[in-house]
Amino acid sequence: MTIDPATTKLVVEFKHDVPLMCCAFDASGRFLIAGGRDTNVVAIETASGRKKILAGHESWIGIATRAADLVLTADYAGRVVAWDCRGEEPKSRWTIDAHPSTIYGLAAAVDGKTFATGDREGVVRVWRTADGKQLHELPRIEYPVYGVALHPDGKRIVTADRQPQKPRIKVWDITSGTERLSIDVAELSGYRRVEDIEWGGIRALAVSPDGAQIVACGRTGYDGQACAMVYDAATGKLQRKLAVALKGGFYYSAKFHSQGFLVTAGGDLGKREFRCWKPNADESLSNVATSGPCLGMDLHPSGEKIAVAQAIGTKTYPELGALAVFEWSK
Amino acid sequence: MSHRKHLLDRAVSRRTVLAGAALGCGALALPLRAASAVAPRKQLLLLFLSGGASQFETWDPKPATKTGGPYRAISTSLSGVRIGELLPHSAKNMHRLSVVRSVNSGIADHFQGHYAMQAGRIVPGYPVVGSAAAKLLERPDDILPGYISIRRDGPKAYTDVGSAGFLGAKYEGVRILNNQPPENLVRPAAVAPTLADAVDRMRRSANDRFRQGREPAAIDAYGTTYDQADALMQRREIFDLTKESPADHQRYGNHDFGRNCLLARRVLQSGISCVRVTHFDWDAHQDNFYWHQVRCGEFDRTFITLLDDLEQRGMLEHTLVVVSGEMGRTPQINHLGGRDHWGRAWSVAMAGCGVKPGIVHGSTNETGTEVKDGLVKLGDLFHTYLTALGIDSQAKYEIGGQSNPVADPAAKPIAAVLA
């Protein structure tokens, strides 16, 4: 089934009582699992709109991913919960305290059999999806790891850190922990000496289905544009800089669609969107404005829909969340 | 400290001051300091978290509430007391700290807050606590400046707000940037010592002639500046961090705040009355949780390392350590994941001389939006600092024919916190 990324319609929007930061469809596409600024997972049966609140986390839930027949959610206390969505409603299959601190990076392998986590202390671990058993740990990175991705070849893992002034993408051999490639992504730094803080940094990673490209997304500079940087995965050479006039806003997530185009999502209070790109062209294929900044995003397993997790509110302090599901024309 | 000893240390009652000068040559009738000539000098170390640290991520966590943010509260060495998980070293040392969780300064502005939290008043023109301590803890044979302010470069405009006010230039504080000593502390090689002495004699002579029949304050202030500069030239090794071991550098941390605190220890060891280390920037209007992870990571271990070192050297018993910023941060989390300015309910920590260890004073409500009990105003804190240093906070400056209370008469020391 081929879809047209230029034609999108909103299918449904689910409101929630806290800002939402992440979402993931389960393997069947029946459930949409989301989390945000509290300890509860929201599970929505998309067809009926039935909502279920699931306990199990200790802190805010910042990231979620689909992994084989599970959906994984990870929180700021270092906990990962695996949700089995094959029954009447999602149930926890296992829970692990994967890290002692905030998990910012979470990604599953293409086959879903393994997944990786990265935390605020720069620790990156690889796990077996079936039972949550740790398989590998990389040498510690000095800075918070905001993105991880498992390469389609099954041998490499990609990390993105928040080193001030020079956020880095690194490619590692999973088994040996050997660093294969390091790419400085200074374009996504928002460091200013006056505050001595990295305002920007790489906020998420994606690897193309063929493994040839790595995408890092964030913002160009202190008050720049939402941006995605596309690199050659073999050489680390910059291929393209995809930036839009979402001044002050970030791209918080990027994913490759199975048809080959790239989807980025993010924004700020004023401007928020998800956008489709050809990774080999400067102009985007389409963009869709959303109710609030998209802090998380996932593509439906069929490739026909996209869901975005948002923080919404009319004032500076958004106190609500929304999950919006859009459908592309076939 | 026993109650009796505490009273002895607070040797000063309300006093009048000898006629002084508007620019800071006012002298107290009796020096406002510990009575015993052999008692070690009381000292003040102010660790100023400029920009405003979040009380939720530090001393007053509210986990699992709408305002609490994502971080956990952790157990501490004080039974039943928990603080933010980003301060693990402080948590292990809570039995040494005195934390006030019920500050309502009413100020949510950097400039106002910097001044008021250091001057103990909102009304402008009063000396900040560093200058006040320099004045009130002064000894007759002091030649070094009484107040040193240490920070890194690249400040925001509000960083250096606050001054000696009517106490004048002598108590203004010497600013140290990036741990570099004040400029020109080394006499140029081309200037022979005999020539320098001759020039200095000529300057003094000119000052003496000019002083005749004139108000001496301005001349004396200039003279004081020269004398302090000369004293710093003689003691410039105070600012030489290369004299500290690599191990000490490592213990304090490879960051600006760590190096600044190591220098602060050296300065306190030199006998200077007050040192302020400005740690910035904490102004986390966006990405507050990452920001506090970074800043707390710098602050926490360094703070405890410094406390340990002061204690090991026998200095903590006569040094008051204050950890404060100009304000706290909002309970609400904004659209950028930040917290904004907030003065209604936040926290200050103390340790060392004159304060009870292992105390948590006051509390806020469940979501941290209001002070629940033990309300503390900014003037109360100023009184508390002075009292802990053995200074009568009810005393008055008598300068230039004007009488000014040392601390806000409408405020009072926090009795529950004082040793």
Side-chain angles (χ1 to χ4, degrees):
Chain A
M1 179 81 62
T2 303
I3 60 101
D4 174 13
T7 316
T8 316
K9 70 170 182 182
L10 176 66
V11 178
V12 66
E13 187 165 58
F14 304 99
K15 294 287 193 294
H16 189 54
D17 55 6
V18 297
L20 292 169
M21 300 165 73
C22 60
C23 62
F25 287 102
D26 80 304
S28 69
R30 179 181 160 202
F31 289 105
L32 182 58
I33 305 290
R37 288 187 189 172
D38 70 358
T39 60
N40 293 319
V41 164
V42 189
I44 292 173
E45 189 176 43
T46 53
S48 66
R50 191 162 54 97
K51 184 159 117 177
K52 178 85 178 172
I53 300 298
L54 305 167
H57 276 287
E58 198 181 344
S59 182
W60 287 8
I61 302 151
I63 190 156
T65 190
R66 181 166 59 253
D69 59 349
L70 298 172
V71 171
L72 310 176
T73 51
D75 71 21
Y76 274 62
R79 180 172 293 177
V80 179
V81 181
W83 302 98
D84 186 335
C85 299
R86 292 172 301 176
E88 194 56 32
E89 59 187 38
K91 285 190 166 50
S92 168
R93 183 187 293 179
W94 52 253
T95 297
I96 53 170
D97 289 323
H99 293 260
S101 68
T102 307
I103 296 173
Y104 288 124
L106 174 71
V110 174
D111 63 8
K113 291 181 179 175
T114 57
F115 69 94
T117 53
D119 76 6
R120 75 172 189 233
E121 305 297 336
V123 176
V124 176
R125 291 172 176 153
V126 179
W127 312 79
R128 189 162 60 203
T129 304
D131 55 5
K133 181 178 181 291
Q134 185 179 325
L135 302 174
H136 306 286
E137 180 170 328
L138 294 185
R140 186 169 166 179
I141 298 166
E142 286 177 83
Y143 301 96
V145 171
Y146 268 69
V148 291
L150 287 158
H151 195 275
D153 68 7
K155 297 172 184 171
R156 287 176 284 172
I157 179 170
V158 187
T159 62
D161 65 47
R162 201 165 168 176
Q163 175 177 238
Q165 302 181 69
K166 274 190 191 172
R168 298 165 304 182
I169 297 169
K170 286 182 181 286
V171 181
W172 311 77
D173 182 278
I174 294 176
T175 310
S176 68
T178 306
E179 183 182 313
R180 294 254 193 104
L181 181 68
S182 183
I183 308 167
D184 287 342
V185 191
E187 293 89 344
L188 296 185
S189 169
Y191 177 83
R192 296 205 312 176
R193 174 63 180 166
V194 63
E195 294 92 3
D196 189 27
I197 204 83
E198 177 53 77
W199 292 79
I202 303 167
R203 299 306 179 97
L205 268 183
V207 178
S208 59
D210 62 3
Q213 291 175 311
I214 299 171
V215 175
C217 59
R219 182 174 71 187
T220 57
Y222 164 71
D223 195 23
Q225 300 171 305
C227 176
M229 310 283 289
V230 184
Y231 293 92
D232 183 305
T235 64
K237 188 177 174 208
L238 177 65
Q239 293 180 333
R240 201 156 297 280
K241 178 176 172 180
L242 307 173
V244 295
L246 272 179
K247 192 168 162 50
F250 286 87
Y251 277 147
Y252 292 106
S253 51
K255 287 183 189 293
F256 280 92
H257 191 275
S258 55
Q259 281 180 211
F261 62 87
L262 179 72
V263 187
T264 56
D268 188 3
L269 205 61
K271 292 182 176 177
R272 52 274 175 164
E273 64 170 35
F274 67 87
R275 188 175 288 253
C276 300
W277 309 80
K278 269 190 179 173
N280 58 355
D282 289 337
E283 294 302 313
S284 59
L285 298 163
S286 66
N287 72 294
V288 175
T290 55
S291 308
C294 304
L295 303 181
M297 173 261 285
D298 193 33
L299 304 178
H300 193 278
S302 68
E304 297 168 7
K305 295 175 188 168
I306 176 173
V308 288
Q310 304 157 85
I312 57 171
T314 53
K315 296 178 183 173
T316 307
Y317 302 107
E319 294 197 328
L320 300 172
L323 273 172
V325 180
F326 295 82
E327 190 171 55
W328 283 296
S329 299
K330 300 176 182 67
Chain B
M1 186 190 291
S2 72
H3 185 61
R4 178 170 167 72
K5 184 170 186 307
H6 184 57
L7 288 175
L8 285 173
D9 276 356
R10 286 195 218 167
V12 184
S13 59
R14 297 170 199 230
R15 300 178 189 284
T16 54
V17 177
L18 296 174
L23 279 178
C25 295
L28 295 156
L30 288 169
L32 277 169
R33 57 182 170 82
S36 167
V38 295
R41 174 201 297 272
K42 296 278 174 64
Q43 293 175 289
L44 172 64
L45 171 61
L46 175 57
L47 302 178
F48 202 83
L49 311 186
S50 179
S54 165
Q55 63 282 9
F56 293 97
E57 278 68 55
T58 54
W59 308 114
D60 194 15
K62 303 288 182 184
T65 67
K66 201 146 189 163
T67 55
Y71 294 134
R72 292 161 291 184
I74 54 173
S75 300
T76 70
S77 58
L78 268 186
S79 179
V81 173
R82 296 164 81 81
I83 63 172
E85 68 167 285
L86 299 179
L87 299 178
H89 298 281
S90 299
K92 289 175 189 156
N93 286 273
M94 272 297 283
H95 62 284
R96 302 162 74 190
L97 308 183
S98 186
V99 174
V100 177
R101 281 178 169 167
S102 50
V103 178
N104 182 349
S105 55
I107 296 173
D109 173 84
H110 292 300
F111 290 88
Q112 275 193 325
H114 266 79
Y115 168 72
M117 286 306 295
Q118 292 181 82
R121 292 171 165 90
I122 296 171
V123 179
Y126 280 87
V128 292
V129 68
S131 300
K135 167 81 176 172
L136 301 173
L137 296 171
E138 192 173 31
R139 291 180 173 183
D141 55 351
D142 285 348
I143 52 167
L144 287 168
Y147 175 30
I148 300 282
S149 172
I150 302 170
R151 63 165 171 82
R152 67 166 176 86
D153 63 348
K156 287 184 173 171
Y158 52 72
T159 309
D160 293 322
V161 166
S163 68
F166 51 72
L167 293 182
K170 182 178 180 182
Y171 305 102
E172 192 62 58
V174 174
R175 188 180 302 160
I176 304 295
L177 295 184
N178 296 337
N179 297 319
Q180 297 303 306
E183 288 182 1
N184 306 317
L185 280 191
V186 180
R187 183 184 295 122
V191 180
T194 50
L195 175 60
D197 288 346
V199 170
D200 196 49
R201 280 197 305 275
M202 191 168 74
R203 179 184 63 81
R204 290 177 192 278
S205 170
N207 278 357
D208 290 343
R209 276 205 358 241
F210 191 76
R211 184 184 282 107
Q212 289 168 17
R214 288 187 176 89
E215 174 61 50
I219 304 146
D220 289 343
Y222 285 121
T224 298
T225 304
Y226 273 94
D227 293 343
Q228 287 185 344
D230 187 58
L232 287 173
M233 289 171 77
Q234 306 305 320
R235 298 288 310 278
R236 58 183 177 272
E237 81 286 351
I238 292 170
F239 307 102
D240 187 356
L241 273 186
T242 65
K243 294 195 178 301
E244 297 295 335
S245 69
D248 271 7
H249 278 272
Q250 191 177 5
R251 285 192 312 116
Y252 275 77
N254 184 29
H255 43 75
D256 291 313
F257 183 65
R259 288 182 285 272
N260 290 170
C261 283
L262 184 54
L263 181 62
R265 190 194 77 190
R266 285 183 66 81
V267 173
L268 287 168
Q269 285 176 285
S270 77
I272 283 168
S273 295
C274 178
V275 181
R276 179 183 68 180
V277 176
T278 302
H279 186 203
F280 71 94
D281 189 359
W282 289 78
D283 195 20
H285 287 289
Q286 63 171 279
D287 226 354
N288 173 80
F289 305 104
Y290 162 77
W291 198 311
H292 276 73
Q293 176 200 326
V294 173
R295 288 287 168 265
C296 288
E298 292 169 353
F299 169 79
D300 185 41
R301 185 168 68 101
T302 301
F303 169 50
I304 297 305
T305 299
L306 186 49
L307 277 192
D308 287 345
D309 280 7
L310 293 177
E311 187 154 59
Q312 280 172 11
R313 287 163 171 75
M315 295 168 66
L316 195 56
E317 63 191 30
H318 59 84
T319 304
L320 172 66
V321 183
V322 174
V323 180
S324 172
E326 70 266 37
M327 58 193 163
R329 304 209 75 82
T330 51
Q332 299 84 4
I333 297 155
N334 68 28
H335 63 289
L336 298 170
R339 293 191 191 267
D340 301 319
H341 299 177
W342 181 255
R344 283 233 304 267
W346 57 289
S347 304
V348 165
M350 289 170 261
C353 157
V355 293
K356 282 181 191 162
I359 289 287
V360 175
H361 174 77
S363 65
T364 50
N365 64 9
E366 191 180 328
T367 51
T369 55
E370 301 288 346
V371 171
K372 192 167 77 178
D373 58 59
L375 174 68
V376 167
K377 299 284 195 178
L378 61 92
D380 301 336
L381 288 164
F382 193 84
H383 273 274
T384 305
Y385 304 154
L386 296 186
T387 307
L389 290 166
I391 297 163
D392 180 4
S393 64
Q394 309 291 334
K396 293 184 176 179
Y397 299 111
E398 301 287 349
I399 293 173
Q402 285 199 320
S403 176
N404 270 306
V406 165
D408 181 356
K412 61 187 186 305
I414 311 162
V417 166
L418 291 166

